[in-house]
Amino acid sequence: MNILIIGGAGYIGSHVAREFLDQGHRITVYDNLSSGLRENLFPEEAFIHGDILDYTGLLRAATGDNTHRVSKMPVFDAIIHLAAFKAAGESMIKPEKYSVNNITGTINILNAAVEGGIKNIVFSSSAAVYGEPEYLPLDEKHPTNPENYYGFTKREIELFLGWYEKLKGIRFANLRYFNAAGYDVKGRIKGLEQNPANLIPVIMEAAAGKRPEVQIFGDDYDTPDGTGVRDYVHVNDLALGHLAALEYITRNDKSLTVNLGSETGISVKEIIEAARRISGKPIPARIVGRRPGDPAKLTASSKLAHEVLGWTARYSDPDTLIRSTWEVYKGTAK
Ligand code: WQD
């Protein structure tokens, strides 16, 4: 297939692009490089440096830059949309930024897809749509009550996609990622996220001597060791999930909303211990207060992904998550 990957130079997007290239698809990446990196681009793919808020540019990309084309045949078979701001904490302080980029930007993408006759969209949604869990593991039937504005933008986009399906015949896959982590197990992607706030890159920066310590946000949760438990899913697994989801919606002409998680809960302390063992670095850690809005435990049911996509996380064990990440960070160690 010929695929437009919007946000394809980012951390998750570059892993998705790599997987689709490996499977023989043709790729064009559209990215404004605000957090994406040139070094995450591959020689086999086309690249358009563009912003999703620039509707004209987006339309040109979606229609193959040929506004006078005679044929109305779509240029792309599918869009994979990963372009968003994703810091949940920041979204509570700067909702405007998330409204404009995540929501307005996505509406531009949907309208450009309609104009370009592109019928299939794979969307990076998030477990943040669920909010505080009423039960665990979270399945797709769990009510969606996002606790932060970021999660709200993801839920709204899922609803827009539902309407564009009804009104414009767009097929979509909403992929509700749990905690994305790890780096390409074959070592082909090395771009580091700038100013990370997520646990694993923070631990890696401490291991590499770029920050003095890891702050553990609370050890008094109702979990076995008192620290927060999350479902970490390797980006290579996520990338395979995109492939399976696009195949599913095109083959069955049917949309899909599905969790992508490992179904395994790992605590903050367990991740730090694994990182110490694998890196051989002491990684100083200090317990500080809870971070507002953090639930004690989040784990996914990926039963649906297994049943309909034949997808199961293969690389999401703590050792592979940490080892593949340390491979990238150790080169930056002081
Ligand atoms: C993981 C655990 C923290 C940093 C976020 C988004 C969510 C989704 C995934 C995209 C928690 C603890 C963290 C630190 C710590 N994103 N922690 N010290 O908050 O589960 O989820 O990423 O869709 O929307 O909110 O991820 O990596 O920030 O935290 O102790 O310096 O690590 O309290 O228990 P989170 P995280």
Side-chain angles (χ1 to χ4, degrees):
M1 282 191 260
N2 193 16
I3 299 163
L4 181 62
I5 304 190
I6 303 179
Y11 165 58
I12 299 175
S14 56
H15 286 83
V16 171
R18 187 63 263 166
E19 190 60 45
F20 276 81
L21 290 169
D22 288 353
Q23 301 294 329
H25 296 286
R26 270 186 297 149
I27 301 296
T28 299
V29 166
Y30 187 91
D31 199 301
N32 69 359
L33 299 179
S34 64
S35 57
L37 301 166
R38 269 187 200 279
E39 65 177 295
N40 284 345
L41 297 169
F42 304 106
E44 309 98 294
E45 66 196 9
F47 173 58
I48 300 169
H49 188 184
D51 200 300
I52 55 175
L53 297 177
D54 168 19
Y55 185 64
T56 312
L58 193 56
L59 194 57
R60 274 206 215 105
T63 54
D65 203 8
N66 184 359
T67 39
H68 303 294
R69 70 207 161 110
V70 179
S71 161
K72 284 285 180 192
M73 285 294 286
V75 177
F76 292 105
D77 301 296
I79 287 176
I80 301 180
H81 170 24
L82 308 105
F85 291 126
K86 60 165 185 159
E90 182 194 51
S91 76
M92 299 297 277
I93 301 160
K94 298 179 184 166
E96 310 89 331
K97 179 174 165 182
Y98 285 73
S99 301
V100 172
N101 192 71
N102 295 11
I103 294 185
T104 309
T106 298
I107 291 173
N108 285 342
I109 291 173
L110 293 178
N111 291 344
V114 170
E115 279 295 310
I118 305 168
K119 290 288 182 199
N120 302 294
I121 299 184
V122 178
F123 170 58
S124 299
S125 189
S126 168
V129 299
Y130 294 119
E132 184 67 31
E134 291 175 13
Y135 59 84
L136 289 172
L138 289 158
D139 58 26
E140 294 80 357
K141 294 194 180 75
H142 187 284
T144 52
N145 288 310
E147 290 264 299
N148 53 63
Y149 194 74
Y150 161 76
F152 167 77
T153 66
K154 294 285 175 178
R155 192 189 62 176
E156 291 305 289
I157 294 165
E158 290 190 354
L159 297 176
F160 289 134
L161 280 161
W163 277 104
Y164 273 68
E165 172 175 51
K166 275 188 251 186
L167 304 177
K168 292 288 172 183
I170 297 268
R171 288 286 178 237
F172 63 84
N174 290 324
L175 304 183
R176 292 178 175 168
Y177 310 158
F178 279 67
N179 287 56
Y183 270 80
D184 181 40
V185 291
K186 294 189 181 148
R188 295 164 298 180
I189 298 167
K190 296 188 184 301
L192 295 182
E193 289 191 280
Q194 300 306 304
N195 306 314
N198 290 116
L199 180 66
I200 293 180
V202 164
I203 292 172
M204 292 291 119
E205 287 195 354
K210 283 189 188 165
R211 64 172 78 208
E213 61 177 15
V214 178
Q215 297 188 336
I216 299 176
F217 298 148
D219 69 345
D220 56 352
Y221 284 105
D222 185 14
T223 59
D225 65 18
T227 64
V229 168
R230 293 291 182 275
D231 181 312
Y232 295 90
V233 55
H234 195 286
V235 273
N236 284 144
D237 283 327
L238 287 181
L240 288 164
H242 289 71
L243 201 68
L246 182 55
E247 277 167 9
Y248 175 91
I249 63 171
T250 51
R251 196 176 50 237
N252 299 299
D253 193 20
K254 201 171 166 194
S255 296
L256 175 71
T257 296
V258 68
N259 287 343
L260 294 179
S262 66
E263 302 192 307
T264 309
I266 310 174
S267 76
V268 174
K269 280 188 178 165
E270 286 172 324
I271 296 271
I272 294 173
E273 277 312 317
R276 285 181 178 141
R277 177 167 47 76
I278 287 164
S279 68
K281 303 284 181 187
I283 314 183
R286 183 167 59 95
I287 315 286
V288 298
R290 291 185 180 193
R291 185 172 64 178
D294 270 357
K297 186 172 176 188
L298 287 179
T299 51
S301 162
S302 285
K303 195 162 168 265
L304 183 66
H306 187 61
E307 281 170 8
V308 301
L309 304 179
W311 180 91
T312 315
R314 296 184 208 164
Y315 303 107
S316 300
D317 58 285
D319 274 34
T320 308
L321 289 165
I322 305 286
R323 211 174 285 286
S324 61
T325 313
W326 181 238
E327 278 303 313
V328 175
Y329 275 84
K330 75 178 183 195
T332 69
K334 287 182 184 162

